[in-house]
Amino acid sequence: MSPRIGLLYPTRDCGEDDFAALCHRLDPAIDVDFAYVAWGAGVGRVDELDAAGKTAAVRELGAPGRLTTAAEDFATIPDVVSWACSSCSFTRGLDGAREQAAALTAHLGVPASSTSLAYLAALGHLGIDRVALASVYHPDLTAVFARFLAEAGVETVHAISADAASDRALAAWDGRRITDLVVAADHGDAQAVLLPETALHTTPLLAELEDRLGKPVLTATAVTVRDALDRTGASPERAGLGALFAPGPRNPRPPSSSSS
């Protein structure tokens, strides 16, 4: 029987269908359930916040207590749970991301992770320690993600920042706009390009992006799903979904550089 992934998600009706599409394309297909983490009482429209306000809002959203409260909304306890939000997991640093996962594991009794920890796991699987960032965030928040990666021994050699208004706005980006961002972010010294945003619809683009750049393009959706499955011991491989799901041997980095 295939494992069931439980995803905690920040804003309803953004990128959930992209997660479902990826899980459906795996062999065997994977079931995925969602529960939603409530934004802070003082947060109205995210797109009306300035850069500092957005950073504060996503940091507050990732408080471990908010995550465990939201996890009560799963109809049944999943086999693995992940906090499927990039910025809300990396803004607390590596220790903070691990604290989020530990709180969920203690609360639900199942393996737990987050999109940010999933990035570290993906980079470890592929033996990558130099990356470029195709960031949708404000430059200040992009720098926070680069520092998070640096804590785990991953160097950011180049980054661009699209400074998008909100996750709901990003959910409406089409494939061409996503592709343009990734191509602009690429750098000759980068072993991979990271696209850290779970509202983007990237599943249909995975193979195309990697073929165009000639290197892995690690999207937030793909790393979240792969990491969640790895934590259950189920790691389906499927051609056409990029390097992370490709059949064949990997070149792992030492475990000390990846998440725990």
Side-chain angles (χ1 to χ4, degrees):
M1 184 174 179
S2 300
R4 189 175 72 260
I5 298 174
L7 296 181
L8 295 170
Y9 200 69
T11 304
R12 191 180 298 269
D13 299 328
C14 282
E16 298 100 319
D17 54 340
D18 196 54
F19 277 103
L22 177 57
C23 290
H24 180 73
R25 289 182 62 181
L26 297 175
D27 186 17
I30 304 298
D31 291 330
V32 57
D33 295 333
F34 292 89
Y36 297 91
V37 184
W39 289 88
V43 178
R45 289 176 56 92
V46 175
D47 56 2
E48 293 178 348
L49 298 174
D50 61 16
K54 287 179 182 177
T55 298
V58 298
R59 182 178 172 81
E60 179 186 13
L61 190 64
R66 285 185 178 277
L67 303 184
T68 55
T69 297
E72 293 292 328
D73 291 335
F74 287 121
T76 58
I77 296 176
D79 297 301
V80 61
V81 65
S82 188
W83 174 209
C85 181
S86 304
S87 58
C88 301
S89 47
F90 69 66
T91 47
R92 290 173 171 262
L94 183 53
D95 285 345
R98 289 171 171 161
E99 181 185 3
Q100 291 171 339
L104 288 167
T105 292
H107 189 70
L108 295 176
V110 299
S113 189
S114 68
T115 299
S116 295
L117 292 178
Y119 266 114
L120 302 184
L123 294 170
H125 282 315
L126 298 174
I128 289 169
D129 58 13
R130 298 189 313 278
V131 302
L133 304 183
S135 171
V136 300
Y137 309 123
H138 184 277
D140 291 350
L141 195 52
T142 302
V144 175
F145 187 43
R147 289 197 295 272
F148 173 88
L149 295 172
E151 285 189 76
V154 178
E155 178 186 3
T156 299
V157 299
H158 184 242
I160 61 172
S161 300
D163 196 13
S166 67
D167 49 1
R168 198 166 295 285
L170 288 162
W173 277 28
D174 61 17
R176 180 174 181 178
R177 192 167 184 182
I178 295 170
T179 299
D180 287 347
L181 179 68
V182 171
V183 170
D186 191 22
H187 188 279
D189 292 336
Q191 297 166 293
V193 176
L194 277 52
L195 184 60
E197 173 54 52
T198 59
L200 293 170
H201 289 73
T202 57
T203 295
L205 304 173
L206 290 173
E208 175 187 337
L209 290 171
E210 295 198 355
D211 287 346
R212 181 160 181 176
L213 270 60
K215 64 184 64 173
V217 176
L218 301 180
T219 72
T221 300
V223 301
T224 302
V225 170
R226 178 74 206 206
D227 177 53
L229 292 174
D230 282 345
R231 289 172 188 271
T232 69
S235 300
E237 297 175 337
R238 180 70 183 267
L241 292 175
L244 202 55
F245 291 96
R250 303 178 187 277
N251 182 32
R253 286 163 45 220
S256 59
S257 297
S258 62
S259 62
S260 61

